[in-house]
Amino acid sequence: MKATRSYTMRARAEQAEQTRDRILGSLIALATERPLAGCTLPAIADRAGVSVQTILRVFGSRDGLFDAALERSRAEVLAERPADPHDRRATITALVDHYEARGDGVLLLLGQESWDPFAALATSGGKRMHRDWVEAAFADVLDRVPRESRTEAVDLLVVATDLSAWKIWRRDLGRSRDETIERMLRLAASVTEHLTEPSTAR
């Protein structure tokens, strides 16, 4: 009897976790397709195949759902963007692949940050994460930069590897994924070479 009860409780917990994941995934997917104002609870429920009441029971409110989705998205982003200063190509390739998967959705969020508080929260956190990624991915170079020049150095590398650079190459100019990787590698290399030149040569 105890074994049966334990199995039933475990199955229910797994089902509840699957439902939670499906709701979060539905919101994250919708947010890449439409403005956040259009990500209503009925729309999310319809995408997830659950009721609005189920969403409220799991997350408490729309704000609670959005907060949980943001936390999940940040964890996924960290996993998708490894930062290995000893393998620049692999690091930039992973970054571009991350942009390939999420870039258009992030661009949609950026277009809302001036008037939607949650979009502003999400994008400001993303910008901080990108700066942190730069400091980790280019730690070998930044360690050789004078302390008084470090902020400028990080600024330059942030721009060289930013989503906006991906957008220009992929969306505005129609370059391929592989061409975009090569261009970003070359741009980052030009910045790092400049940063490590003797100051008298600049």
Side-chain angles (χ1 to χ4, degrees):
M1 182 69 72
K2 286 184 178 180
T4 300
R5 186 181 301 114
S6 176
Y7 174 82
T8 301
M9 292 177 64
R10 186 165 60 250
R12 287 177 178 172
E14 290 174 356
Q15 184 177 25
E17 187 62 25
Q18 290 171 3
T19 298
R20 187 178 191 277
D21 287 345
R22 193 163 67 251
I23 294 168
L24 289 172
S26 297
L27 170 54
I28 292 169
L30 278 175
T32 68
E33 301 169 4
R34 62 180 72 176
L36 293 179
C39 296
T40 62
L41 290 182
I44 298 164
D46 183 66
R47 173 68 70 94
V50 300
S51 67
V52 169
Q53 289 73 22
T54 296
I55 294 177
L56 294 175
R57 184 175 68 252
V58 174
F59 295 98
S61 65
R62 184 175 183 270
D63 286 347
L65 169 59
F66 273 57
D67 288 343
L70 181 57
E71 182 178 348
R72 171 168 158 171
S73 293
R74 286 176 174 168
E76 291 174 346
V77 168
L78 288 172
E80 292 168 3
R81 295 171 45 141
D84 183 355
H86 305 297
D87 192 342
R88 195 84 72 220
R89 177 170 292 276
T91 297
I92 293 296
T93 297
L95 179 68
V96 170
D97 284 343
H98 164 76
Y99 289 155
E100 293 285 313
R102 298 181 185 263
D104 292 317
V106 176
L107 290 170
L108 179 59
L109 273 178
L110 287 166
Q112 304 168 68
E113 65 180 351
S114 64
W115 52 270
D116 188 295
F118 188 83
L121 176 66
T123 55
S124 64
K127 292 169 187 175
R128 288 194 300 272
M129 287 176 66
H130 183 59
R131 194 173 187 90
D132 291 343
W133 177 89
V134 163
E135 295 200 27
F138 294 92
D140 57 326
V141 174
L142 294 171
D143 285 346
R144 290 178 279 153
V145 173
R147 181 176 299 179
E148 64 272 15
S149 301
R150 186 180 176 91
T151 297
E152 178 188 5
V154 174
D155 286 349
L156 291 169
L157 289 166
V158 163
V159 173
T161 57
D162 192 65
L163 175 65
S164 57
W166 172 86
K167 174 186 177 294
I168 290 170
W169 288 318
R170 290 290 277 134
R171 298 297 180 247
D172 299 348
L173 299 177
R175 306 299 179 233
S176 70
R177 165 191 173 273
D178 290 346
E179 288 172 330
T180 298
I181 290 170
E182 294 305 322
R183 282 160 172 72
M184 190 169 287
L185 281 166
R186 289 185 63 185
L187 182 56
S190 68
V191 172
T192 58
E193 288 166 9
H194 167 75
L195 292 173
T196 54
E197 287 176 354
S199 59
T200 54
R202 294 184 189 178

